[in-house]
Amino acid sequence: MYQTIDIELDGRGVATLTLDREAKHNALSAQMIEELTLAAERLGADDAVRVVILTGAGKSFCAGGDLRWMQDQMAADAQTRFVEAKKLAMMLNALNELPKPLVGRVQGQAFGGGVGMACVCDVAIGVDGARFGLTETRLGLIPATIGPYVLARLGEAMARRVFMSARIFGADEAVTLGLLAKAVAAEDLDEAVEAEVKPYLTCAPGAVAEAKRFTRRLGMAITEQIIDETIAGLVARWESPEAQEGIGAFFDKRKPAWVG
């Protein structure tokens, strides 16, 4: 059914949603964005599903946006850019509003949109040695559509430490920032994730879903207007000379003009 993701459901009602583009470090392509949106709808509507674990295949959790996909947006017209940016934004929103607990099993590095994927999880557990970064500004872009979820998770003060600088940071700092709940050795990751999953299996599913909806209502508002602002911000950056230079430099394997 899916080509870029995989879903497995165990007898307890625990679904494992795996980003399955290992060769591309699970970068978010147009197809993966579509399949994740459909998966969120399917898992949310399935009464047999009690908890969802989000993880990645291979050494990377998610390397962010697929650069070929971004390159396609650079060559597209404004309307196409808007449509594609909205698909990305609505995928993140669908996962954020999933009416089931979403536990991140961050088994490797996460950059750009990968950080956003960790932030839409209700809790994320990572491995020691994993690296993280909001790397968009290196390409002349901004962390726009993931921005509301990053701010909701980290808070403004912590987000400002890493949101604009594209600085790479490790798992220990990810815990300090609030991106991860904890970082553990690779051999302890499954046990740590299970410790987050198991309590939900003793709770009433409807009460869990309503409690999650309540946290969103009481927490930072991520409204349709805010989502549209993030889409407009991303589209504007795609149209900017800096993005043309930054993405062009990446594919040309050279430094962009603002370095050195």
Side-chain angles (χ1 to χ4, degrees):
M1 180 178 181
Y2 301 111
Q3 295 182 0
T4 68
I5 63 174
D6 180 68
I7 299 175
E8 294 183 1
L9 181 65
D10 71 16
R12 303 176 300 165
V14 178
T16 299
L17 171 57
T18 303
L19 309 179
D20 197 17
R21 298 184 75 215
E22 182 176 353
K24 298 293 185 181
H25 297 277
N26 301 318
L28 295 165
S29 65
Q31 184 175 8
M32 180 181 277
I33 289 167
E34 180 180 358
E35 291 184 357
L36 283 168
T37 304
L38 293 172
E41 294 171 358
R42 170 187 164 189
L43 293 167
D46 189 344
D47 290 339
V49 176
R50 302 284 300 276
V51 184
V52 179
I53 298 170
L54 177 64
T55 192
K59 296 181 178 180
S60 297
F61 175 67
C62 177
D66 183 273
L67 285 168
R68 291 293 178 186
W69 175 75
M70 287 194 287
Q71 193 177 44
D72 288 342
Q73 308 323 307
M74 299 294 291
D77 58 48
Q79 180 60 29
T80 299
R81 291 185 184 123
F82 182 88
V83 169
E84 292 304 310
K86 184 154 191 174
K87 289 177 182 177
L88 172 59
M90 298 316 294
M91 178 273 288
L92 291 165
N93 192 58
L95 288 173
N96 189 59
E97 295 190 351
L98 185 73
K100 311 290 170 76
L102 183 60
V103 178
R105 179 184 179 275
V106 183
Q107 88 296 350
Q109 64 186 7
F111 299 126
V115 173
M117 293 291 284
C119 287
V120 298
C121 296
D122 298 304
V123 61
I125 310 297
V127 291
D128 292 332
R131 297 186 303 154
F132 303 86
L134 293 155
T135 53
E136 287 87 348
T137 53
R138 287 185 183 176
L139 298 173
L141 299 171
I142 58 173
T145 50
I146 65 171
Y149 311 105
V150 175
L151 268 292
R153 172 60 60 81
L154 274 59
E156 183 181 349
M158 289 295 188
R160 290 175 98 172
R161 294 171 59 175
V162 294
F163 199 77
M164 302 86 76
S165 68
R167 179 171 62 81
I168 306 302
F169 54 93
D172 287 345
E173 187 171 0
V175 173
T176 299
L177 291 169
L179 173 60
L180 298 179
K182 63 176 66 174
V184 300
E187 60 269 24
D188 298 327
L189 181 59
D190 287 336
E191 182 179 354
V193 170
E194 176 64 18
E196 299 293 336
V197 167
K198 195 171 181 180
Y200 287 114
L201 303 179
T202 68
C203 299
V208 170
E210 182 56 31
K212 182 170 179 176
R213 283 192 289 270
F214 206 55
T215 63
R216 293 201 316 276
R217 288 199 294 271
L218 295 177
M220 174 179 163
I222 303 176
T223 63
E224 184 177 352
Q225 179 181 354
I226 288 172
I227 291 172
D228 284 345
E229 287 178 9
T230 71
I231 295 168
L234 180 57
V235 170
R237 288 311 301 179
W238 275 341
E239 295 175 350
S240 70
E242 283 188 343
Q244 295 283 345
E245 167 65 11
I247 293 178
F250 178 87
F251 283 104
D252 293 343
K253 301 185 186 304
R254 60 175 174 82
K255 294 179 180 180
W258 53 79
V259 177

